[in-house]
Amino acid sequence: MAQINPSILSADFARLADEAEAVRGADWLHVDVMDNHFVPNLTLGVPVVESLARATDTPLDCHLMIEQPDRWAPQYVEAGAGSVTFHVEAAAAPVRLAREIRAKGARAAMALRPATPIEPYEDLLPELDMVLIMTVEPGFGGQAFLDIMLPKIRRTRQLFDKHGLDLWLQVDGGVAASTIELCAEAGADVFVAGSAVYGAEDPAEAVRALRARAEEASAGAWWACKH
Ligand code: DX5
Ligand code: ZN
């Protein structure tokens, strides 16, 4: 099943509860946390996540683009996130961190910047619920999709299969009607979309249309037959 996670980075930050409502039917709300150190942009933190979790029934998928995720990630679980993603480039002890996120009751995910390969982390996969392959350099919405990431998506799905693991594979950055099929064919099953959803006339309809495209593309894909 393809999941569509609208990124509130492209929403109106003064009306977050309404913007969550505007994408009713989405699988998760993707919340981009940026600290102006790990990436050159600053967004929101724990108090906003806490309020948003109270304001919507849609579960929150927090993508932490921050330094020292070991120190901060557990607080996002306490704030109400259902899934917390840390960047492995910034984590001091990713195994300990993933275990702590899970122990607190959320799904644990590891994100890779475009230049970070998956292979060194193969042995960590059983500790995780999801891997996020960035398809832009993290920091901003509305950037062009990097199709040079498609082989990494494919290799990551192959590693899941090799180990018989039922992880989710998320892609984030430049995912739109024109690129979502490529991602689904390569092996992704969770799709973050910011501008493609909130830039649309009807965001809820954009979610449905993206999901339909992804489902169709993954139905006949090399990796989906086994799932
Ligand atoms: C970028 C963020 C993304 C961003 C995606 O660093 O992690 O989640 O919101 O936006 P679009 O879909 O517009 O590329
Ligand atoms: Zn993101």
Side-chain angles (χ1 to χ4, degrees), residues 38-114:
F38 185 73
V39 288
N41 198 4
L42 185 67
T43 54
L44 53 88
V46 171
V48 175
V49 170
E50 232 164 40
S51 299
L52 188 58
R54 277 197 298 269
T56 177
D57 295 335
T58 307
L60 303 184
D61 160 35
C62 285
H63 175 195
L64 306 183
M65 286 160 276
I66 61 174
E67 298 290 357
Q68 296 190 287
D70 306 72
R71 176 175 171 195
W72 298 109
Q75 292 188 31
Y76 286 87
V77 185
E78 285 159 19
S83 175
V84 175
T85 303
F86 59 86
H87 269 267
V88 72
E89 303 88 352
V95 173
R96 188 173 61 207
L97 180 54
R99 289 186 178 181
E100 198 177 343
I101 292 169
R102 281 175 150 183
K104 284 187 174 294
R107 295 177 61 89
M110 174 180 83
L112 307 176
R113 299 183 74 128

Side-chain angles (χ1 to χ4, degrees), residues 7 30-32 34 63 65 132 134 172 192:
S7 167
H30 183 83
V31 180
D32 287 305
M34 305 185 187
H63 175 195
M65 286 160 276
L132 164 53
M134 289 303 300
D172 180 10
V192 176

Side-chain angles (χ1 to χ4, degrees), residues 3 5 28 30 60-63 82-86 98 102 106-112 118 124-133 156-157 160 165-172 189-192:
Q3 302 188 66
N5 302 6
W28 298 75
H30 183 83
L60 303 184
D61 160 35
C62 285
H63 175 195
S83 175
V84 175
T85 303
F86 59 86
R102 281 175 150 183
R107 295 177 61 89
M110 174 180 83
L112 307 176
I118 183 66
L124 270 56
L125 295 178
E127 302 289 337
L128 301 164
D129 297 296
M130 181 170 82
V131 170
L132 164 53
I133 307 285
T156 302
R157 176 59 70 182
F160 293 179
L165 294 167
D166 195 18
L167 268 73
W168 295 351
L169 206 172
Q170 185 178 63
V171 284
D172 180 10
D189 56 0
V190 183
F191 306 87
V192 176

